[in-house]
Amino acid sequence: MPTARRDVTPRLLSAASGLAAAVWLATGGCSTPMTYSPDDDLRRSVLESARRELAESRRENPAVTTLDRTPRVQTLGLKPEIYEQLEQTSGRAAYGVQPTAVAPDLMGRPQQAVKVSLERVVLTSVRNNMAVQFAQLQPAIDEQRLVAAQSAFDWTLFSNVQWTRTDEPTVGSFVGPGQNREQEVLASVGVRRRMTSGGQIQLQQGANFTDNQTGSFPVPNPANQARLTLQVDQPLLRNFGSDVALADVRIQTNTQRDSIQELKAALLQTVRDAEEGYWQLVRATGELQIAQRLLNLGVEVRDVLKTRREANVDVKPSQFSDAVATVENRRAQVIRAENALRQLSDRLKQLMNDPDLTVGSEVMLLPVDNPLDAPMSFSLLEIMSTAIANRPEVQRALLAIDNTSIRQTLADNARLPTLDLRAQANFTGLDNNMDEAFNRMTDTNFVTFVVGLAFEMPVGNRGPEAVFRRTRLERMQSVIAYRDVVTRVLLEVKAALRNVVSAYTLIEQTRAARIAAAENLRTLLVEEKTTGGLTPEFLDLKLRRQDALAAAEQQELAS
């Protein structure tokens, strides 16, 4: 007799949960059917690469080193009042805040200038630089790739509906052929999901309606069948374990981390380019000022020779032409210095990408900050350790090692034969009424269990073995690449430190050379005032000492 409608019975829950638990215990709790241990040699190799480079600095006293230099200006023996005079008439203090008037811009207008600070240049570059803007989008792009890889483990809802009407002849008795007339409706709905163990679990509810019109007497007719199917497919060898199932997720995670390190590298490079460009602008501004003053001094000497020549004083044509050539050469230096300043200004505007200071505008940037002369304190061990720990190149090399390790794990697993387990439980109910069919299904009187194994193994297995050997070699390459990156980073760090140490010493040395050249010119000017020496030879010496002072000023500015 038909039974009253009931909820899912404990027997159904017990049978379904028992099957799921058995499969979960068989597949969970381990990442691979083989015992897997990390490659200790790889870890030791990576760590040893850094330890080897830092070994000497660890053995020595890692105390902070403060730069020191021997005073050179005092060794010149100048009187304090003379020294102050030389500081006011040479070097950066002798020039104005900005160069004197330069040639018109590309539009034929007087050159307009805007003063910028180092802070503004760096901040604007970080905010607006197009390379940084481009790099900022990559982590977001890779994040969506990571989400797409993770979505492979989301639940999937599926359904199927099929209607079939059969009307066909069949073999009959001696009176004639028979016929088969039937109408059938199949419907199912379910959910499935990939598991991190490499398998798949699926729960499907189906309903079949069959109406037999052949003239026989099937019971029940029409028939309604309800079927609940729980199925688990689980690889036991190849494609087994979270190491394989989550490989794409882990690679995409590393890809996102790599793009973040790439963004960090772009930011660091932008800041470096902004600072370097600013100090190049400072140097170009100073060199233009030096060239302009040198030209003015040369014009004064040339005019003196011209006056003496017109007065028929002892000035040979060759001596006057020599002075004219010197002046014209200095004028060419001014033109080159102006062009260099404008080029650096445009390059800095392109780096800043400031909407108020576009590259297309003819406004020239001029610096307001001056370089500092101050001792620096550092620890070689701390600087090298910080570089190894934080440099984007090193972090990206480590991510590359991790990626090759993941691919090697995949290739190692792919060498195993295929052994797949399928476990299935079907709960069925049949009646001429669909509600009653569902009720009978929940009684769990009709339960079908299916357990099967499928095995496959290629003869020779040459392809997977070759892929595995290739991935091992690729991982060895990534380790070598990491070592190379570490050495190159430390080489850059030490080169930068040596440049700082050398430049700090050169500042004092070039200052002393500039003061000496200024004193050399000053004594000549004193002699000029006291003796009135305006001979061509004297004026030629004056031009040469002016050139020597300008060269010394340029060297000091560069240091």
Side-chain angles (χ1 to χ4, degrees):
M1 293 181 61
T3 57
R5 183 178 179 86
R6 294 167 295 181
D7 296 332
V8 178
T9 61
R11 294 177 59 191
L12 175 61
L13 289 175
S14 177
S17 61
L19 177 63
V23 175
W24 183 258
L25 288 175
T27 59
C30 60
S31 60
T32 175
M34 303 294 183
T35 302
Y36 175 79
S37 60
D39 193 340
D40 294 334
D41 292 337
L42 173 63
R43 291 185 176 182
R44 284 196 296 267
S45 177
V46 171
L47 293 176
E48 184 61 27
S49 299
R51 291 172 180 169
R52 181 184 60 187
E53 299 296 339
L54 302 178
E56 182 178 356
S57 58
R58 289 183 184 275
R59 288 195 303 267
E60 301 298 328
N61 184 10
V64 175
T65 301
T66 301
L67 296 182
D68 192 15
R69 64 191 179 194
T70 302
R72 299 300 305 170
V73 177
Q74 289 81 346
T75 60
L76 300 178
L78 299 175
K79 296 180 180 180
E81 59 273 14
I82 298 297
Y83 174 74
E84 292 180 3
Q85 179 184 353
L86 297 178
E87 283 286 8
Q88 294 174 359
T89 57
S90 64
R92 291 188 58 84
Y95 305 110
V97 179
Q98 64 185 44
T100 58
V102 296
D105 60 21
L106 294 178
M107 297 182 182
R109 304 172 306 183
Q111 181 65 64
Q112 301 295 319
V114 172
K115 299 178 183 179
V116 292
S117 64
L118 176 62
E119 181 180 8
R120 178 183 176 182
V121 169
V122 172
L123 291 179
T124 306
S125 299
V126 170
R127 292 193 188 104
N128 301 334
N129 183 263
M130 285 182 283
V132 175
Q133 292 178 6
F134 182 87
Q136 284 176 336
L137 295 175
Q138 195 60 44
I141 294 173
D142 292 331
E143 182 181 4
Q144 299 309 311
R145 290 175 178 167
L146 174 59
V147 172
Q150 294 172 336
S151 68
F153 299 92
D154 293 346
W155 285 100
T156 301
L157 176 66
F158 63 92
S159 64
N160 297 287
V161 178
Q162 177 179 317
W163 172 75
T164 304
R165 184 180 182 276
T166 305
D167 189 359
E168 60 185 6
T170 61
V171 178
S173 61
F174 64 92
V175 297
Q179 61 181 0
N180 180 20
R181 291 183 177 178
E182 188 176 64
Q183 183 175 212
E184 184 178 26
V185 179
L186 306 176
S188 64
V189 63
V191 291
R192 59 172 171 259
R193 179 179 183 269
R194 282 185 59 191
M195 298 184 295
T196 56
S197 62
Q200 177 178 279
I201 185 170
Q202 174 177 304
L203 182 64
Q204 178 178 341
Q205 175 66 65
N208 298 355
F209 169 78
T210 305
D211 183 10
N212 194 310
Q213 302 172 359
T214 60
S216 57
F217 301 98
V219 179
N221 189 33
N224 290 276
Q225 185 184 61
R227 178 185 295 270
L228 180 65
T229 302
L230 175 64
Q231 178 177 308
V232 176
D233 295 296
Q234 176 60 51
L236 299 180
L237 291 177
R238 186 186 299 179
N239 299 326
F240 176 90
S242 60
D243 288 339
V244 177
L246 296 176
D248 189 40
V249 175
R250 291 170 179 166
I251 288 178
Q252 293 301 330
T253 300
N254 285 346
T255 301
Q256 185 189 24
R257 293 172 179 171
D258 184 80
S259 62
I260 293 175
Q261 293 299 325
E262 188 176 1
L263 171 59
K264 181 180 177 181
L267 286 169
L268 291 175
Q269 186 63 42
T270 299
V271 172
R272 175 182 176 179
D273 291 343
E275 291 190 358
E276 184 177 357
Y278 188 86
W279 295 123
Q280 286 178 347
L281 191 69
V282 171
R283 180 177 178 179
T285 304
E287 289 184 344
L288 176 57
Q289 292 173 323
I290 294 172
Q292 287 176 337
R293 192 181 74 159
L294 189 61
L295 173 61
N296 295 333
L297 294 176
V299 169
E300 293 177 0
V301 175
R302 183 204 62 186
D303 291 344
V304 171
L305 286 173
K306 182 179 180 181
T307 302
R308 293 176 64 87
R309 181 187 180 190
E310 292 174 350
N312 294 321
V313 186
D314 54 347
V315 176
K316 299 178 182 179
S318 60
Q319 294 172 333
F320 177 72
S321 62
D322 189 26
V324 171
T326 300
V327 170
E328 296 307 316
N329 181 60
R330 292 179 180 183
R331 196 183 307 278
Q333 293 177 6
V334 171
I335 295 174
R336 284 192 289 266
E338 287 182 358
N339 181 62
L341 180 60
R342 285 192 170 104
Q343 297 284 5
L344 288 171
S345 174
D346 287 342
R347 193 177 307 166
L348 200 59
K349 287 192 291 185
Q350 190 271 339
L351 186 67
M352 294 170 62
N353 194 29
D354 192 332
D356 297 329
L357 297 171
T358 61
V359 179
S361 69
E362 277 296 283
V363 176
M364 186 170 63
L365 302 183
L366 291 178
V368 296
D369 294 325
N370 292 321
L372 299 178
D373 178 16
M376 172 184 172
S377 298
F378 64 90
S379 168
L380 180 60
L381 175 61
E382 181 181 354
I383 288 180
M384 292 195 299
S385 301
T386 303
I388 293 176
N390 298 323
R391 281 287 289 264
E393 306 95 309
V394 178
Q395 299 302 314
R396 298 182 70 182
L398 289 174
L399 290 173
I401 293 177
D402 192 31
N403 284 339
T404 55
S405 298
I406 294 173
R407 295 188 182 98
Q408 180 177 338
T409 300
L410 286 174
D412 189 18
N413 180 269
R415 297 189 299 165
L416 300 174
T418 299
L419 182 62
D420 296 340
L421 167 69
R422 168 166 288 186
Q424 186 182 92
N426 296 292
F427 305 88
T428 309
L430 180 67
D431 202 281
N432 57 2
N433 181 279
M434 186 60 71
D435 289 341
E436 294 304 325
F438 274 100
N439 286 335
R440 292 181 182 277
M441 180 193 69
T442 58
D443 287 338
T444 66
N445 291 326
F446 298 96
V447 183
T448 302
F449 292 99
V450 178
V451 177
L453 291 173
F455 178 82
E456 179 181 318
M457 181 175 181
V459 178
N461 209 29
R462 293 198 303 164
E465 291 290 346
V467 173
F468 175 69
R469 288 192 294 269
R470 186 196 70 197
T471 55
R472 288 187 61 186
L473 295 174
E474 289 175 348
R475 192 179 68 167
M476 293 172 60
Q477 281 184 328
S478 65
V479 174
I480 295 173
Y482 169 80
R483 295 173 180 170
D484 180 62
V485 168
V486 169
T487 56
R488 284 191 288 109
V489 166
L490 295 183
L491 179 64
E492 291 180 9
V493 169
K494 293 187 67 177
L497 281 176
R498 293 188 191 280
N499 288 338
V500 169
V501 173
S502 176
Y504 183 68
T505 306
L506 274 176
I507 291 173
E508 180 67 15
Q509 183 61 48
T510 54
R511 180 182 292 121
R514 186 257 303 172
I515 293 294
E519 172 63 10
N520 199 14
L521 179 60
R522 187 193 69 83
T523 56
L524 188 66
L525 296 177
V526 171
E527 181 181 347
E528 179 182 0
K529 291 180 181 180
T530 56
T531 63
L534 294 176
T535 64
E537 293 78 10
F538 182 89
L539 294 176
D540 179 68
L541 179 61
K542 184 178 180 180
L543 288 175
R544 286 188 281 111
R545 291 193 179 183
Q546 289 173 355
D547 288 333
L549 175 58
E553 290 176 325
Q554 290 174 342
Q555 292 176 0
E556 182 187 16
L557 183 62
S559 64

Short mmCIF file of all heavy atoms in Angstrom, two decimals, residues 30 89 93 170 187 278 284 324 332 396 411 450 465 475 483 516 537 555 557:
data_model
loop_
_atom_site.label_atom_id
_atom_site.label_comp_id
_atom_site.label_asym_id
_atom_site.label_seq_id
_atom_site.Cartn_x
_atom_site.Cartn_y
_atom_site.Cartn_z
N CYS A 30 46.72 12.93 3.45
CA CYS A 30 48.05 12.81 2.83
C CYS A 30 47.99 13.49 1.49
O CYS A 30 46.94 13.63 0.88
CB CYS A 30 48.47 11.34 2.70
SG CYS A 30 47.36 10.36 1.68
N THR A 89 83.93 83.63 -4.70
CA THR A 89 84.17 83.92 -6.11
C THR A 89 84.29 82.67 -6.98
O THR A 89 84.49 82.79 -8.19
CB THR A 89 85.46 84.74 -6.25
OG1 THR A 89 86.56 84.01 -5.65
CG2 THR A 89 85.32 86.10 -5.58
N ALA A 93 78.66 78.69 -4.72
CA ALA A 93 78.28 79.92 -4.02
C ALA A 93 78.49 81.16 -4.89
O ALA A 93 77.90 82.21 -4.62
CB ALA A 93 79.08 80.05 -2.73
N THR A 170 8.01 -4.76 -33.45
CA THR A 170 8.81 -5.80 -32.80
C THR A 170 8.44 -7.15 -33.37
O THR A 170 7.40 -7.31 -34.04
CB THR A 170 8.59 -5.80 -31.29
OG1 THR A 170 7.21 -6.07 -31.01
CG2 THR A 170 8.94 -4.43 -30.68
N ALA A 187 14.61 13.06 -16.06
CA ALA A 187 15.03 14.35 -15.50
C ALA A 187 15.98 14.10 -14.34
O ALA A 187 15.80 13.16 -13.56
CB ALA A 187 13.84 15.17 -15.04
N TYR A 278 67.10 64.16 -11.12
CA TYR A 278 67.13 65.46 -10.45
C TYR A 278 68.57 65.93 -10.24
O TYR A 278 68.90 67.09 -10.51
CB TYR A 278 66.41 65.37 -9.11
CG TYR A 278 66.22 66.71 -8.43
CD1 TYR A 278 65.13 67.51 -8.73
CD2 TYR A 278 67.15 67.17 -7.51
CE1 TYR A 278 64.96 68.74 -8.12
CE2 TYR A 278 67.00 68.40 -6.89
CZ TYR A 278 65.89 69.18 -7.20
OH TYR A 278 65.73 70.41 -6.59
N ALA A 284 73.71 69.73 -14.51
CA ALA A 284 73.60 70.45 -15.79
C ALA A 284 73.40 71.94 -15.56
O ALA A 284 73.93 72.77 -16.31
CB ALA A 284 72.46 69.87 -16.61
N VAL A 324 90.05 84.94 -29.80
CA VAL A 324 88.73 84.85 -30.44
C VAL A 324 88.29 83.39 -30.52
O VAL A 324 87.12 83.05 -30.24
CB VAL A 324 88.76 85.50 -31.85
CG1 VAL A 324 87.47 85.21 -32.60
CG2 VAL A 324 88.99 86.99 -31.73
N ALA A 332 80.30 77.86 -27.75
CA ALA A 332 79.77 76.55 -28.14
C ALA A 332 79.48 75.70 -26.91
O ALA A 332 78.49 74.96 -26.86
CB ALA A 332 80.76 75.85 -29.07
N ARG A 396 62.02 37.25 -6.72
CA ARG A 396 61.49 36.65 -7.94
C ARG A 396 62.27 35.37 -8.30
O ARG A 396 61.70 34.42 -8.83
CB ARG A 396 61.56 37.65 -9.10
CG ARG A 396 60.71 38.89 -8.88
CD ARG A 396 60.75 39.83 -10.06
NE ARG A 396 60.04 39.28 -11.19
CZ ARG A 396 59.94 39.89 -12.37
NH1 ARG A 396 60.53 41.05 -12.57
NH2 ARG A 396 59.27 39.32 -13.36
N ALA A 411 55.46 16.46 -12.64
CA ALA A 411 56.09 15.51 -13.55
C ALA A 411 56.40 14.19 -12.85
O ALA A 411 56.27 13.12 -13.44
CB ALA A 411 57.36 16.11 -14.14
N VAL A 450 28.30 0.29 -6.02
CA VAL A 450 29.22 -0.03 -7.11
C VAL A 450 30.61 0.44 -6.69
O VAL A 450 30.79 1.60 -6.31
CB VAL A 450 28.81 0.64 -8.44
CG1 VAL A 450 29.83 0.32 -9.52
CG2 VAL A 450 27.42 0.19 -8.87
N GLU A 465 58.82 10.05 -18.22
CA GLU A 465 60.17 10.05 -17.67
C GLU A 465 61.01 11.19 -18.24
O GLU A 465 61.78 11.83 -17.53
CB GLU A 465 60.85 8.70 -17.96
CG GLU A 465 60.26 7.52 -17.21
CD GLU A 465 60.57 7.57 -15.73
OE1 GLU A 465 61.45 8.36 -15.32
OE2 GLU A 465 59.93 6.82 -14.97
N ARG A 475 64.80 22.93 -12.70
CA ARG A 475 64.96 23.38 -11.31
C ARG A 475 66.42 23.67 -11.00
O ARG A 475 66.74 24.63 -10.28
CB ARG A 475 64.39 22.35 -10.34
CG ARG A 475 64.27 22.90 -8.92
CD ARG A 475 63.69 21.92 -7.96
NE ARG A 475 64.57 20.79 -7.71
CZ ARG A 475 64.39 19.92 -6.71
NH1 ARG A 475 63.36 20.05 -5.90
NH2 ARG A 475 65.21 18.92 -6.54
N ARG A 483 71.54 31.94 -7.56
CA ARG A 483 72.89 32.27 -7.13
C ARG A 483 73.45 33.46 -7.92
O ARG A 483 74.10 34.34 -7.36
CB ARG A 483 73.81 31.06 -7.30
CG ARG A 483 73.45 29.87 -6.41
CD ARG A 483 74.30 28.67 -6.78
NE ARG A 483 73.99 27.51 -5.95
CZ ARG A 483 74.46 26.29 -6.18
NH1 ARG A 483 75.26 26.08 -7.22
NH2 ARG A 483 74.13 25.29 -5.38
N ALA A 516 92.46 75.72 -4.99
CA ALA A 516 93.82 75.97 -5.48
C ALA A 516 93.77 76.66 -6.85
O ALA A 516 94.55 77.60 -7.12
CB ALA A 516 94.58 74.66 -5.57
N GLU A 537 100.77 87.68 -23.75
CA GLU A 537 101.15 86.46 -23.05
C GLU A 537 100.45 86.37 -21.70
O GLU A 537 100.00 85.29 -21.28
CB GLU A 537 102.68 86.41 -22.86
CG GLU A 537 103.47 86.26 -24.15
CD GLU A 537 103.58 87.58 -24.90
OE1 GLU A 537 103.21 88.63 -24.32
OE2 GLU A 537 104.04 87.56 -26.05
N GLN A 555 84.53 69.42 -11.90
CA GLN A 555 84.88 68.18 -11.20
C GLN A 555 84.31 68.16 -9.79
O GLN A 555 83.82 67.12 -9.31
CB GLN A 555 86.41 68.04 -11.17
CG GLN A 555 87.03 67.78 -12.53
CD GLN A 555 88.54 67.74 -12.48
OE1 GLN A 555 89.14 67.90 -11.42
NE2 GLN A 555 89.18 67.52 -13.64
N LEU A 557 81.60 69.75 -8.82
CA LEU A 557 80.17 69.58 -8.98
C LEU A 557 79.81 68.13 -9.26
O LEU A 557 78.83 67.59 -8.72
CB LEU A 557 79.68 70.48 -10.12
CG LEU A 557 78.17 70.49 -10.40
CD1 LEU A 557 77.40 71.01 -9.19
CD2 LEU A 557 77.87 71.35 -11.62
#
